[in-house]
Amino acid sequence: MGTKLIANNKKAYHDYFLIEKYECGIELKGTEVKSLCLSNCSIKEAICKIIGGECFVIGMNITPYEKGNIFNVDSLRTRKLLLHKSEIRKIADQLKLQGYTLIPLQVYFKNNKIKVEIGLCKGKKLYDKREDLKKRDMKRDAELNVKKAV
């Protein structure tokens, strides 16, 4: 039983330092599961918040299922994430620190269940992003030089 990736948030890795990852379930309605089977999902603009002791993902876009007619729900609705209370408390304590935020990183199937990987992140400054780009470019150049030498 492997995993099948539905959506990936590459922008989060560029804009944030990843502190910690959590895997959680997601509460879906009706035809949203069928739409996710077709990989009709975007989490680029999404963010997670803890409201009243529960974790929610806001701004996650699941495109309505084409054959769903009246059973389709709003594509940008707020969806509940399924985490243990102890995990939510731990995350809430860390979110109180300045600069930390909760971002969805991936949506994927795991053993026929839809899972969301969320990350506790700290925002990068512009110079941090430039530094990452420089490192990546130098690594790519080094690999090309090795291939040319062989």
Side-chain angles (χ1 to χ4, degrees), residues 65-84:
Y65 185 59
E66 294 171 5
K67 300 173 183 126
N69 58 42
I70 63 168
F71 299 107
N72 284 331
V73 292
D74 181 29
S75 62
L76 287 172
R77 74 180 184 87
T78 302
R79 294 169 181 89
K80 185 177 176 181
L81 295 176
L82 308 173
L83 286 162
H84 292 281

Side-chain angles (χ1 to χ4, degrees), residues 5 7-10 12-13 16 18 20-22 43 48 103-108 116-121:
L5 186 65
N8 192 10
N9 191 354
K10 292 181 183 178
Y13 294 102
Y16 299 96
L18 191 62
E20 200 166 348
K21 290 181 182 180
Y22 297 93
I43 56 172
C48 299
I103 303 289
L105 302 172
Q106 291 182 344
V107 179
Y108 54 92
V116 178
E117 184 178 77
I118 59 175
L120 185 68
C121 304

Side-chain angles (χ1 to χ4, degrees), residues 5-150:
L5 186 65
I6 298 170
N8 192 10
N9 191 354
K10 292 181 183 178
K11 186 180 173 197
Y13 294 102
H14 180 263
D15 292 343
Y16 299 96
F17 289 114
L18 191 62
I19 308 298
E20 200 166 348
K21 290 181 182 180
Y22 297 93
E23 181 183 72
C24 57
I26 185 168
E27 187 177 80
L28 299 170
K29 291 184 179 176
T31 56
E32 289 179 326
V33 177
K34 289 186 178 186
S35 187
L36 285 174
C37 286
L38 300 173
S39 297
N40 293 335
C41 177
S42 172
I43 56 172
K44 285 184 176 77
E45 307 84 27
I47 192 163
C48 299
K49 295 213 177 198
I50 295 179
I51 304 167
E54 295 180 331
C55 191
F56 295 93
V57 64
I58 300 166
M60 179 177 169
N61 185 10
I62 298 178
T63 309
Y65 185 59
E66 294 171 5
K67 300 173 183 126
N69 58 42
I70 63 168
F71 299 107
N72 284 331
V73 292
D74 181 29
S75 62
L76 287 172
R77 74 180 184 87
T78 302
R79 294 169 181 89
K80 185 177 176 181
L81 295 176
L82 308 173
L83 286 162
H84 292 281
K85 281 199 186 286
S86 59
E87 288 178 315
I88 293 173
R89 267 189 252 118
K90 181 180 173 185
I91 293 170
D93 289 342
Q94 291 176 329
L95 284 176
K96 289 177 185 172
L97 298 174
Q98 186 178 2
Y100 287 117
T101 186
L102 204 55
I103 303 289
L105 302 172
Q106 291 182 344
V107 179
Y108 54 92
F109 281 103
K110 183 178 180 183
N111 300 333
N112 294 327
K113 291 182 174 50
I114 296 171
K115 299 289 184 178
V116 178
E117 184 178 77
I118 59 175
L120 185 68
C121 304
K122 186 173 177 114
K124 284 185 182 178
K125 305 284 187 211
L126 184 60
Y127 57 84
D128 290 327
K129 294 177 191 177
R130 287 186 191 138
E131 209 47 49
D132 285 347
L133 289 173
K134 283 182 190 175
K135 287 179 185 175
R136 191 175 68 206
D137 288 343
M138 289 188 332
K139 184 177 177 183
R140 189 180 315 130
D141 290 341
E143 288 174 359
L144 284 173
N145 290 337
V146 169
K147 284 183 182 179
K148 286 180 183 178
V150 173

